[in-house]
Amino acid sequence: MYNALKSTECIYLFLTDSKNAWLEPKFPTECFFMAIQVHHLAVLPACRRHLRRQRAHRDLTRMIEHLESHESEWIETPMASRNKGLLKKWREQIKKLENGKACSEVGLLDEELLRGCLKFFGFMARWIMKLVDSSKKGLSVPLPEKISMEVASLPDYLVSDVAEFLLFVNMYAYAVLEDPVMSDIVTFLVVFVCSPNYISNPYLVAKIVEVLFVMNPHIQPVASKIHEMILSHPLAMGNLAPALMNFYTGTFS
């Protein structure tokens, strides 16, 4: 998004157009956009912290194992005192990380919570697709070159949050993705991969492509159902392969 104009400029032009009038948002509308912010400011940062905690635990464990495996080489040297101090420090850090990991898994990896988040992202994806299909004639890709003000004014993180959440759930709670709402999300992913002109940030397109990649059964063996859903999607057939080729040749050429 943000294709030709910045978000604030799009909103300004849209609201100052004589054909458009400002309407007071209703309560459901306020709840919808507040829910978007909750996921962006709370759920996704919590997922990132969990990933960083896992990565730190893995790195510290590797460092401890390496230092212990070479103990015979430094135990009789002046470095012995320093290395023992490091081992003690790293073990204490690992203990804290494990406590934090346990607390995080109790709340963050609750399947009901993740399933509720997935359903909301599915609803949001369906809403964005309705904005994209402004003519109401049905979606077709690539999308029209002219981007409506409503779509251009949407922030990039509406797309990146969906992709980031899918990557997280695919890694830690794949069973959550076996939900009927995935059909809307698959449409959402295919449409934007096949219409990269609607997203000005190439890294955001790369994140969507990464989601398609990890849904490959060779990467995630239980993802065969979603992988088949992507490949057999009416908009993907005849469009997805050329779009991916354009993405890779455009990125690495």
Side-chain angles (χ1 to χ4, degrees):
M1 294 142 191
Y2 297 105
N3 188 52
L5 299 171
K6 292 182 179 179
S7 177
T8 52
E9 294 172 342
C10 289
I11 295 172
Y12 175 77
L13 291 173
F14 180 69
L15 295 179
T16 54
D17 189 342
S18 59
K19 297 179 181 179
N20 300 303
W22 179 266
L23 299 176
E24 285 295 325
K26 304 297 183 182
F27 180 69
T29 302
E30 292 182 346
C31 291
F32 174 69
F33 284 98
M34 286 177 64
I36 290 177
Q37 291 300 312
V38 166
H39 284 78
H40 181 64
L41 300 177
V43 177
L44 272 301
C47 294
R48 294 185 204 111
R49 282 195 296 272
H50 186 77
L51 290 170
R52 287 196 298 269
R53 190 179 291 114
Q54 294 278 73
R55 192 176 302 115
H57 185 280
R58 184 172 59 252
D59 292 343
L60 282 173
T61 301
R62 188 181 299 116
M63 290 162 63
I64 290 174
E65 291 174 350
H66 175 77
L67 203 56
E68 288 179 336
S69 65
H70 292 78
E71 183 177 358
S72 60
E73 299 176 8
W74 54 259
I75 193 63
E76 300 295 338
T77 69
M79 298 294 292
S81 178
R82 170 185 172 274
N83 288 347
K84 288 179 181 178
L86 286 175
L87 287 173
K88 180 180 179 182
K89 177 183 175 182
W90 291 342
R91 290 191 182 106
E92 290 175 352
Q93 289 177 339
I94 281 184
K95 186 177 293 186
K96 292 180 180 179
L97 288 170
E98 288 175 345
N99 291 338
K101 176 175 173 288
C103 294
S104 176
E105 288 178 347
V106 169
L108 184 61
L109 299 187
D110 177 69
E111 287 198 2
E112 287 304 313
L113 170 66
L114 295 176
R115 191 169 286 107
C117 293
L118 181 70
K119 289 182 182 298
F120 176 78
F121 280 128
F123 177 77
M124 187 180 75
R126 191 161 60 249
W127 169 70
I128 293 175
M129 290 299 96
K130 286 183 178 180
L131 291 181
V132 169
D133 182 26
S134 56
S135 64
K136 311 302 180 186
K137 296 180 179 178
L139 286 169
S140 61
V141 292
L143 295 171
E145 288 294 327
K146 185 177 180 181
I147 303 174
S148 67
M149 287 292 184
E150 295 94 328
V151 175
S153 63
L154 296 177
D156 281 358
Y157 66 75
L158 265 65
V159 178
S160 65
D161 284 359
V162 175
E164 190 172 349
F165 180 77
L166 292 174
L167 291 172
F168 179 82
V169 174
N170 178 70
M171 186 180 301
Y172 292 104
Y174 180 82
V176 171
L177 298 180
E178 296 178 347
D179 190 285
V181 76
M182 279 302 297
S183 61
D184 294 320
I185 294 178
V186 166
T187 300
F188 175 84
L189 297 174
V190 169
V191 166
F192 282 118
V193 166
C194 297
S195 304
N197 61 307
Y198 272 59
I199 301 176
S200 59
N201 186 347
Y203 296 103
L204 180 52
V205 180
K207 184 171 286 189
I208 301 175
V209 172
E210 183 183 358
V211 174
L212 300 182
F213 174 75
V214 299
M215 294 300 173
N216 190 312
H218 295 290
I219 306 299
Q220 174 62 280
V222 295
S224 57
K225 183 177 179 181
I226 295 179
H227 182 67
E228 180 63 27
M229 191 185 302
I230 293 170
L231 295 184
S232 62
H233 194 283
L235 297 177
M237 299 175 69
N239 295 294
L240 183 57
L244 291 175
M245 289 295 293
N246 289 334
F247 167 76
Y248 285 111
T249 55
T251 300
F252 299 109
S253 60

